[in-house]
Amino acid sequence: MNHRSSRKGALRRCAAAILAAAMFTLGAAGADADEAERIMGDIDGDGVVTSADALTILRHSVGIEQIDKSLLEYADLDTDGEVTSSDALLALKGNVTPHIEFPETYTACCGERLNLKAKMEPADVYGDVKFEYLVGISESTDGMTDENGDPYKVLDITNTGRIKAFHPGTATVKAVASNGMRAVCTVTVKDMVTSYTITSGSSSLKVTTHMMTNNDCYNMTDDFTKIDGVVVHSTATPGVMADRWYTAWNKPNTDAAVHSFLDDNGVYNYLPLDQTAWHAGQPANKTYLDFEICEPSGFYYEGNTVTGYDVYAQTPYFNKIWSNATLYTAFLCDRYGLTADDVISHGEAGRMGIGTNHGDPDHWFVLHNKDMDDFRADVAKLLSQGIKVSSSTIVSSGMAPSGASDEFDESEFEGIFAVWDDYDWR
């Protein structure tokens, strides 16, 4: 049976229900009520919507009776411009005006992925309704422009309501039902710093999120189509902690970008976790999440050789970042349906032929008699205990994370530039 014949059958059942309900209350349609007090569906002007009104609407819809022209707007309960049996059914239900449940406003953080939900009410009248999502992209208000000199877009949206928030500004999103009814949501995107806490057993870790909205990777790469695992890195830049990388890399013409940096104080997440990053080269970038562990001060590199590293003095810092890194990795695995076996180091990625030829963080772990097998074992243990994540809270709006400087001192980053500049991270 096709949809048209199915609908006719439903209308016949609707008519039968209305006739049965109104068989003793049939009245003539007229225009004698005070228009200022009339409510939708009240055709006979008695101040309430009854089965008699529903029957009048039904009779009009099939041509048996004519409702006065001045009252037609009150008979069109679904506001589709016509008086049909659907309006009669709505009147029988008690003046339930159909509408789309859709938020009027929504505020999102830069980098946020969200699903705007819209549904038709009453659903049992219309059944499943398809929505066409449209967006009027406003210009970004942060003053940044793309490679063509055009202002960055505020957001993207799919026809299923999936939104990617990019740059500060506002955009109008419309949900359009199959019957033409529309609802509008104004989405405001803000550059905000937020935080949440990850816990497993007695271990906890604070994650601070602030998107590097000026980094080329943030503005040029797409979301993952699949995620195969997590790549663990270390920075090879002694003494530069996680909060400082925001200042260093939140600018155009930066050929590297990672999802997060981690140190003994916590995690700073600078790129949407759903989006591909420039961290290990191809093809790993396309299917692997990543984060960088910040290395402590007190030593330096001669080429690829670690010089002046005091294992005993660095053990407290190392133990803390080990705890933080394994917990953060367990969180990523739990969130994206991965296991500890899906976790590799940058060094392992290179040996597998899916990333650039680097040795981190294996070269550092070994100084403390640890390796990636130990790391994966601890991740598996945390996963077995369960991962909990607190609700995200706003720390501040439109500013760098606490502790980060607005001034960029390139000398702090000589190690990373010297080691990384010889590679194509995209």
Side-chain angles (χ1 to χ4, degrees):
M1 180 181 294
N2 61 33
H3 293 296
R4 185 178 298 276
S5 61
S6 177
R7 182 174 176 81
K8 286 181 178 179
L11 295 182
R12 284 195 295 269
R13 291 190 294 273
C14 165
I18 293 173
L19 287 170
M23 59 185 301
F24 299 113
T25 56
L26 177 60
D32 54 351
D34 185 348
E35 298 299 325
E37 299 179 356
R38 193 182 298 275
I39 61 176
M40 289 295 290
D42 179 19
I43 308 304
D44 61 14
D46 64 357
V48 293
V49 181
T50 66
S51 57
D53 297 305
L55 183 57
T56 299
I57 294 171
L58 178 63
R59 288 167 63 87
H60 175 92
S61 71
V62 297
I64 297 175
E65 181 177 351
Q66 291 297 312
I67 296 176
D68 190 280
K69 290 183 179 180
S70 65
L71 299 179
L72 286 177
E73 63 177 297
Y74 298 100
D76 182 16
L77 277 78
D78 61 9
T79 66
D80 66 353
E82 298 180 284
V83 177
T84 67
S85 58
S86 294
D87 299 302
L89 183 56
L90 287 172
L92 186 64
K93 286 176 174 290
N95 193 31
V96 181
T97 303
H99 63 283
I100 298 176
E101 286 194 356
F102 196 52
E104 293 184 359
T105 61
Y106 187 88
T107 300
C109 300
C110 289
E112 185 178 351
R113 273 51 173 166
L114 60 136
N115 290 299
L116 283 182
K117 300 294 186 183
K119 65 178 181 177
M120 200 69 172
E121 291 291 348
D124 57 342
V125 173
Y126 292 93
D128 294 331
V129 178
K130 300 291 185 181
F131 292 94
E132 176 187 355
Y133 285 83
L134 305 174
V135 62
I137 299 295
S138 302
E139 293 184 354
S140 169
T141 57
D142 63 2
M144 294 302 299
T145 58
D146 61 21
E147 63 272 16
N148 298 318
D150 297 322
Y152 279 133
K153 57 189 173 184
V154 174
L155 54 83
D156 270 345
I157 187 167
T158 69
N159 61 3
T160 61
R162 176 72 168 171
I163 283 181
K164 300 177 186 179
F166 287 112
H167 284 266
T170 59
T172 300
V173 178
K174 294 180 181 178
V176 183
S178 57
N179 69 348
M181 187 172 288
R182 298 187 175 199
V184 175
C185 176
T186 299
V187 180
T188 301
V189 180
K190 293 185 177 182
D191 183 17
M192 292 188 285
V193 183
T194 61
S195 70
Y196 57 90
T197 301
I198 303 165
T199 58
S200 179
S202 60
S203 300
S204 66
L205 175 65
K206 181 181 178 181
V207 180
T208 301
T209 299
H210 192 202
M211 295 298 102
M212 291 182 175
T213 58
N214 299 330
N215 185 286
D216 288 340
C217 181
Y218 177 87
N219 291 295
M220 294 171 61
T221 61
D222 296 321
D223 284 3
F224 287 108
T225 56
K226 69 169 183 172
I227 297 178
D228 291 332
V230 180
V231 176
V232 181
H233 301 263
S234 65
T235 61
T237 312
V240 181
M241 296 293 103
D243 60 345
R244 294 292 293 123
W245 290 92
Y246 181 89
T247 307
W249 279 2
N250 185 34
K251 60 183 181 179
N253 303 315
T254 303
D255 291 332
V258 301
H259 290 106
S260 305
F261 287 87
L262 178 150
D263 59 25
D264 57 335
N265 289 319
V267 175
Y268 285 83
N269 171 216
Y270 294 135
L271 192 69
L273 295 177
D274 293 328
Q275 184 173 339
T276 60
W278 294 337
H279 63 96
Q282 299 297 348
N285 288 353
K286 294 180 179 179
T287 61
Y288 278 83
L289 294 156
D290 78 285
F291 64 92
E292 289 272 355
I293 304 173
C294 297
E295 299 179 10
S297 59
F299 72 103
Y300 60 95
Y301 284 87
E302 289 183 336
N304 293 323
T305 303
V306 174
T307 301
Y309 191 86
D310 186 333
V311 174
Y312 179 79
Q314 300 292 3
T315 292
Y317 179 86
F318 182 85
N319 288 344
K320 185 58 178 175
I321 65 94
W322 182 272
S323 175
N324 288 351
T326 52
L327 180 52
Y328 190 56
T329 305
F331 156 74
L332 294 175
C333 289
D334 182 70
R335 176 169 175 171
Y336 292 99
L338 305 171
T339 71
D341 291 335
D342 299 317
V343 179
I344 60 175
S345 68
H346 191 173
E348 289 174 325
R351 294 189 289 275
M352 292 165 61
I354 62 172
T356 52
N357 185 24
H358 273 203
D360 62 293
D362 311 63
H363 75 292
W364 180 27
F365 285 2
V366 71
L367 299 177
H368 291 269
N369 295 315
K370 294 283 190 179
D371 59 25
M372 284 303 297
D373 287 336
D374 298 319
F375 191 90
R376 283 183 283 266
D378 284 358
V379 170
K381 184 183 300 183
L382 290 165
L383 284 170
S384 69
Q385 294 175 175
I387 305 296
K388 296 181 179 179
V389 183
S390 69
S391 298
S392 180
T393 60
I394 298 174
V395 176
S396 59
S397 179
M399 60 174 288
S402 176
S405 170
D406 291 333
E407 297 183 0
F408 172 59
D409 182 1
E410 188 165 328
S411 65
E412 288 187 83
F413 299 87
E414 288 178 354
I416 200 70
F417 293 143
V419 173
W420 288 39
D421 279 355
D422 292 336
Y423 295 88
D424 181 5
W425 298 102
R426 298 190 179 201

